[in-house]
Amino acid sequence: MTEVLPAHAIGEPLARLDGPAKVTGTARYAFEQPVTGPAYVHPVQASVARGRIVELDTSAAEAEDGVIAVLTPENAPRLASTEDGELAILQSPEIAFRGQLIGAVIAETSEIARHAQSLVRVRYDEAPHDVALRADRADLYAPEQVNPTFPTDTAEGDVESALSEADVTVDQTYTTPMEHNNPMEPHTTVAVWRGDELTLYDSTQGTHAVRAAIAPVLGLDPGRIRVIAPHVGGGFGAKGTAHAHLVLAAMAARIVADRPVKLALTRQQMFSLVGYRTPTIQRIRLGADEYGRLSAMSVDVVEQTSKIKEFAEQTAIPSRSMYAAPHRRTSHRLAALDVPVPSWMRAPGECPGMFALEVAMDELAAACGLDPIELRARNEPTVDPESGKPFSSRHLVQCLREGARRFGWAERDPRPGTRLADGWLTGTGVAASTYPTHSMPGNAATVRYGGDGRYRVEIGAADIGTGTWTALSQIAADALEVDVGRIDLAIGDSALPSASVAGGSSGINSWGSTIAETARAFRDKYGADPDPGDEADGSLPGNPNTDRFAMRAFGAQFAEARVHAETGEIRVPRLLGVFAAGRIINPRTARSQFLGGMTMGLSMALHEHSTLDERFGHVVNHDFAEYHIATNADVDELDVCWLDEHDPYVNPLGTKGIGEIGIVGAAAAIANAAYHATGRRIRDLPITADRFLS
């Protein structure tokens, strides 16, 4: 058992320490970093989905006043490595997807660069393209593994026999569309060369991750690259990995020698250059006895990837650990298409996978004549079905029961389509949530006493708007047994001790545990009365419990839906989330994270859908005018609570991570509520009026 730190600052709802700087405009984001005499770069993108450039006329652009240079595949610097197909830009005339970077204009102002880019003329030898995802494609293939290192397929028992012998079965296909992260701050980079050393002010979820990805591409020792990102205006996974615009900025800065170069992607450019959630087609088959106890579960997933770089989302993974069933099978198959590279989007795998599974479970409950909460309780596993390990803690049923009490579930009429008032059909739905508990390797920290009772705590973590500045300060203060006001936290810089990426709900688990360990080492070495300049280094300790327990957070989502009987318009008056996610460091920022995830799930349920025009191979609704996201008007009452869960096995802090579990299950709860309101089962997202009228 791991010793859990005592609490003082931990558990307090402190206001964000970086809040005043952000609301007064003094918190600098990447594009705002002070540099002298910057040039500006604007990309040139392919306007065909597949083919080859046969002529690229830059003469008109180069003739514009204020244009410094125009980069093309002909004159761009050669890259040291082209193994990463997404980052290997401007190295050949080949076109792999519409929107691919094929050049860039460098100019004195961003306006000049953008105008001059429009003057570049490109002639292509266009080739037929393929961007259609279908489950019946003959060229679907099994990747070696799914993100990050999970087995592609699993099988236990005899699923087919169990299904044929089951009293009740569900066999349905569910789809989720392509979706795009749209953080408030677009992807921006400022690149500065000084000799053979490169500084990148970047909007990123991981400064060390960016440095590690870019170094081999540019042929540099990682020590010659510094990435700085003290404040990031949201990421949601899109800023978790390096993308092509980073290489473009570094190239452009090379061209203008010692002059900084600024690059800010437009909202439209983000739809083709910084990843997206792959669309999924999921066939789910469930078999159960007359009491609703599962005997078989089969989840087969089809999704897309890019021909230039594979990304296989782990969509079937949550079903492997969610419910007890002796006969289980999962599979993932990919279609390699002429499209941009998919990537992470909040709760990858769990989010689309749990939508399908939790709607299927609702269908099973209806087929068995059981309450959906009771069905889930009857299929609660005693150990992790996938690994056979006991759970370090699992309070899913408690979340469901507490949510039912708070939501007024006992008054629910189980019959669908029976509550009609003033033209609106009303229903309620429930879905489970889960997310794995991660602690990433490779984290280190430094604690230094500066005198006057103040401690400097250094770690290269990233605050992407989640409250990391505050939570890490609280952890450091408790570990050093001082007030939070005595902590001088330094994060967001690859010059600081190494830190893993802000992703997978692993940040506080990894960075916080590292800081706690380092602070302990400092106290052991110097005691409570250190001298100025005393310093200790530490790293993330290994956790022997990882091999003994399955570690996951759980929750329950409740939704009320109203559907207009004549127009099909859908409204969501109420959402409630109840979670068991270990120790909560800061209730104020935690509540914000849970609510943010649930809001994103609401957006997924009702709005988000990147519409790919198969004729031309690009997303047509690539701005906020047409790519709709949830706003205040989309929900009347949004509430969240959590159980006081003590889990001493996950890490020294007892935390599980909360940034992603809030989105998991939210869309399914809304879809299930819509079914209860109307009797119409929606299996394809988003849930729009035409689904009820067709």
Side-chain angles (χ1 to χ4, degrees), residues 1 4 321-322 380-385 387 389-399 433-438 509 543 545-546 548-555 579-584 643-651 653-657 661:
M1 183 177 295
V4 177
S321 295
M322 200 60 202
E380 179 73 354
T382 56
V383 296
D384 176 29
S387 66
K389 300 176 185 177
F391 289 98
S392 61
S393 60
R394 177 177 169 126
H395 294 104
L396 171 60
V397 173
Q398 291 90 329
C399 289
S433 304
T434 188
Y435 201 76
T437 300
H438 294 304
N509 301 340
N543 185 354
N545 298 313
T546 301
R548 298 173 53 208
F549 294 99
M551 301 177 180
R552 301 185 75 89
F554 292 92
F579 302 98
R583 193 181 194 181
I584 301 300
L643 307 183
D644 290 328
E645 183 178 61
H646 175 71
D647 190 331
Y649 303 108
V650 287
N651 52 59
L653 299 172
T655 58
K656 287 189 171 183
I661 192 172

Side-chain angles (χ1 to χ4, degrees), residues 32-57:
E32 301 166 327
Q33 294 294 326
V35 292
T36 303
Y40 296 83
V41 61
H42 193 86
V44 179
Q45 296 176 269
S47 58
V48 301
R50 187 164 173 248
R52 181 181 180 86
I53 299 170
V54 295
E55 182 182 6
L56 207 159
D57 184 356

Side-chain angles (χ1 to χ4, degrees), residues 38-40 66-68 106-110 112-113 259:
Y40 296 83
V67 170
I68 300 169
I106 309 167
E108 297 292 343
T109 70
S110 59
I112 294 172
R259 192 172 177 185

Side-chain angles (χ1 to χ4, degrees), residues 16-147:
R16 293 174 185 248
L17 300 179
D18 52 328
K22 288 183 174 178
V23 299
T24 57
T26 58
R28 288 196 176 103
Y29 292 81
F31 203 73
E32 301 166 327
Q33 294 294 326
V35 292
T36 303
Y40 296 83
V41 61
H42 193 86
V44 179
Q45 296 176 269
S47 58
V48 301
R50 187 164 173 248
R52 181 181 180 86
I53 299 170
V54 295
E55 182 182 6
L56 207 159
D57 184 356
T58 62
S59 57
E62 291 169 332
E64 283 292 300
D65 289 341
V67 170
I68 300 169
V70 180
L71 277 172
T72 72
E74 292 294 324
N75 63 5
R78 297 297 93 183
L79 298 175
S81 172
T82 57
E83 290 185 10
D84 188 323
E86 182 181 6
L87 303 182
I89 61 168
L90 307 188
Q91 301 300 290
S92 86
E94 300 298 324
I95 304 300
F97 62 89
R98 180 161 176 166
Q100 175 184 319
L101 294 177
I102 60 173
V105 174
I106 309 167
E108 297 292 343
T109 70
S110 59
E111 292 82 4
I112 294 172
R114 187 165 186 167
H115 171 65
Q117 173 271 333
S118 69
L119 302 178
V120 175
R121 297 290 176 258
V122 187
R123 189 163 59 87
Y124 305 95
D125 180 8
E126 193 170 355
H129 63 267
D130 181 6
V131 297
L133 177 65
R134 300 187 313 276
D136 62 351
R137 292 180 62 106
D139 58 352
L140 296 177
Y141 72 96
E144 290 187 10
Q145 59 188 22
V146 294
N147 179 57

Side-chain angles (χ1 to χ4, degrees), residues 137-188:
R137 292 180 62 106
D139 58 352
L140 296 177
Y141 72 96
E144 290 187 10
Q145 59 188 22
V146 294
N147 179 57
T149 57
F150 290 110
T152 300
D153 299 344
T154 59
E156 183 175 336
D158 188 341
V159 169
E160 298 300 331
S161 294
L163 286 170
S164 66
E165 297 170 2
D167 296 325
V168 183
T169 60
V170 170
D171 184 349
Q172 296 292 346
T173 298
Y174 308 84
T175 68
T176 61
M178 176 191 291
E179 299 166 346
H180 280 80
N181 286 308
N182 276 281
M184 186 177 295
E185 179 198 21
H187 291 64
T188 60

Side-chain angles (χ1 to χ4, degrees), residues 137-144 152 301 303-307 309-312 332-337:
R137 292 180 62 106
D139 58 352
L140 296 177
Y141 72 96
E144 290 187 10
T152 300
V301 180
E303 53 199 29
Q304 74 184 40
T305 189
S306 172
K307 289 181 180 177
K309 181 180 178 180
E310 182 182 278
F311 178 82
H332 298 82
R333 295 295 180 267
L334 296 182
L337 304 177

Side-chain angles (χ1 to χ4, degrees), residues 137-384:
R137 292 180 62 106
D139 58 352
L140 296 177
Y141 72 96
E144 290 187 10
Q145 59 188 22
V146 294
N147 179 57
T149 57
F150 290 110
T152 300
D153 299 344
T154 59
E156 183 175 336
D158 188 341
V159 169
E160 298 300 331
S161 294
L163 286 170
S164 66
E165 297 170 2
D167 296 325
V168 183
T169 60
V170 170
D171 184 349
Q172 296 292 346
T173 298
Y174 308 84
T175 68
T176 61
M178 176 191 291
E179 299 166 346
H180 280 80
N181 286 308
N182 276 281
M184 186 177 295
E185 179 198 21
H187 291 64
T188 60
T189 301
V190 180
V192 186
W193 286 94
R194 293 289 183 263
D196 287 332
E197 297 195 350
L198 173 65
T199 298
L200 294 170
Y201 300 96
D202 188 46
S203 183
T204 176
Q205 293 174 228
T207 58
H208 289 88
V210 164
R211 184 174 70 173
I214 294 298
V217 177
L218 300 178
L220 292 177
D221 182 278
R224 293 187 175 276
I225 301 176
R226 183 181 180 187
V227 183
I228 301 172
H231 299 287
V232 180
F236 310 105
K239 298 176 183 175
T241 58
H243 297 294
H245 68 282
L246 278 164
V247 180
L248 181 64
M251 281 183 171
R254 252 314 187 205
I255 295 295
V256 297
D258 291 337
R259 192 172 177 185
V261 165
K262 289 191 171 189
L263 185 156
L265 294 183
T266 66
R267 187 65 58 184
Q268 291 85 355
Q269 289 166 348
M270 287 168 57
F271 277 77
S272 54
L273 293 175
V274 295
Y276 56 92
R277 195 193 300 280
T278 179
T280 71
I281 304 169
Q282 303 176 56
R283 184 188 179 192
I284 294 186
R285 295 186 293 164
L286 304 176
D289 64 20
E290 60 182 320
Y291 304 105
R293 290 188 291 262
L294 284 166
S295 58
M297 176 186 297
S298 174
V299 180
D300 297 304
V301 180
V302 174
E303 53 199 29
Q304 74 184 40
T305 189
S306 172
K307 289 181 180 177
I308 62 169
K309 181 180 178 180
E310 182 182 278
F311 178 82
E313 182 142 334
Q314 66 276 30
T315 306
I317 294 301
S319 66
R320 296 177 182 176
S321 295
M322 200 60 202
Y323 299 112
H327 305 278
R328 297 178 296 112
R329 184 175 64 208
T330 66
S331 72
H332 298 82
R333 295 295 180 267
L334 296 182
L337 304 177
D338 300 311
V339 294
V341 182
S343 187
W344 303 335
M345 187 170 180
R346 199 172 197 167
E350 264 71 17
C351 184
M354 285 292 283
F355 164 74
L357 178 62
E358 288 302 293
V359 174
M361 288 294 285
D362 201 69
E363 297 203 52
L364 182 63
C368 293
L370 284 174
D371 179 87
I373 293 176
E374 178 60 28
L375 176 80
R376 288 168 173 82
R378 291 185 184 186
N379 289 286
E380 179 73 354
T382 56
V383 296
D384 176 29

